[in-house]
Amino acid sequence: MAETKWVPNIRQIAKEMHERGFTGITPGHRLCAGCVAGTIVRQVMMAARKPVVVINATGCLEVATTIFPYTAWQVPWAHNAFENAAAVASGVERAQAKLIRDKRFEGDPDIEMDYDIVVFGGDGGTYDIGLQALSGAMERGHKFMYVLYDNEAYMNTGIQRSGSTPFGAWTTTTPAGKVIPGKPVGKKPLVDIIAAHRIPYVATVSPYYWNDALVKFRKGFEADGPVFIRAFSTCNRGWYNAPEESIAISRLAVETCVFPLYEVVNGVEWRLSPPSLAIAKNPEKKKPVEEYLKTQRRFRHMFEPENRWMIKRFQEMVDYEWELLLERAGLKG
Amino acid sequence: MSALRGWKEIPIAGIPFEPAVKYKTGDWRVFRPVIDNEKCIKCGLCWMFCPDSSIIWDGDNFPTVDYEHCKGCGICAHECPTKAIEMVRG
């Protein structure tokens, strides 16, 4: 895979976007105050090199940005069900290839056929419901970028657990109380599953590390084949964090290794990204998970004396995943 | 003949047609961000992190706030490296 030489320059990007009057997603969308999904969409649009077509699985982002008759999107946009976002993107990509091959709109000044396809899906639509369509599209090798904004539960329908909900988290379907102390099992290792499809590019991004995120989105646009990017997205309604701390939590998640930043090229070459690589080289920089857990009230019950074991267990799970990642990246020993 | 439109005339799917900028989300706000231009170093982080595209910045001048749409989440004030943004009630 060709490496991008692009170095994002915040002033230049701001200038260009200001002159074009383009932000991809306009103000006036109705995501909750402090929802980072809006920031992630903006960062994808900043990294775009061509016009973009957006396919949006059902979820918070879709519901909040297109409440009839208003739409916040400045790009062609299609809504589809939870389960078929990747299938719709496959169809768009094939139709684009066919129309270019047939020279159907060649020389038509009103129609641009040279565009990139982006899919936005939440964790419910990706980890659980849309996994088979996603897997199929990855296997067929359609060229599109799937951006998962991972807020770790079905937030749109009222905070039900999903395959992405972390161990011990409170949700309405895993309530912390006398019977169970939050979700009894951990997260599904989705990035591993997608990387196992041997697709050209898989990455994780956190909006706080915008430089890293923009470069990864650009790499995703430039890759020749399906791309999967998992973005860390806080949800202040479902996680009960302070809205203004959303970006700070995105940073803390990386610093505690709860959400390490890495990329996988062709499914085999695992590489840590600079923020996580710094922690791998200086393990004393790794912060304990308590610092991450205490920012969110969904983990509040874990700080009760009888539930302290859960913090220890959470730390063990994070450490296990982190060691596994170091081993894959060849940084062990 | 029916006065209703046939399938060929109606839109092929539900199409939202009004730009969302017409919907003013500014009235959700309790605290509003106020930028102190004397402290601002024009780093652009508020613009980068604003989820509502409500920080207006052209890359050269001082950023300004779109009070018609800013929801007052406070991310800009929290992330500002020089604490140039203050959240003020009202």
Side-chain angles (χ1 to χ4, degrees), chain A residues 16-17 56 58 63 72 78 98 133 165 176 183 200 203 233 258 324:
Chain A
E16 280 168 17
M17 292 186 104
N56 206 171
T58 303
V63 169
K98 167 88 172 128
T165 307
K183 192 184 175 192
S233 178
V258 171
L324 205 62

Side-chain angles (χ1 to χ4, degrees), chain B residues 45-61:
Chain B
L45 286 183
C46 52
W47 171 83
M48 174 58 77
F49 294 138
C50 178
D52 292 298
S53 310
S54 289
I55 302 278
I56 300 160
W57 190 45
D58 60 6
D60 291 325
N61 298 309

Side-chain angles (χ1 to χ4, degrees), chain B residues 17-53:
Chain B
F17 48 86
E18 290 275 16
V21 280
K22 287 191 186 170
Y23 189 85
K24 312 291 185 208
T25 48
D27 56 3
W28 296 14
R29 186 175 60 230
V30 179
F31 294 95
R32 79 191 145 92
V34 177
I35 302 174
D36 179 354
N37 286 356
E38 284 185 6
K39 286 188 195 165
C40 176
I41 53 168
K42 302 183 194 172
C43 67
L45 286 183
C46 52
W47 171 83
M48 174 58 77
F49 294 138
C50 178
D52 292 298
S53 310

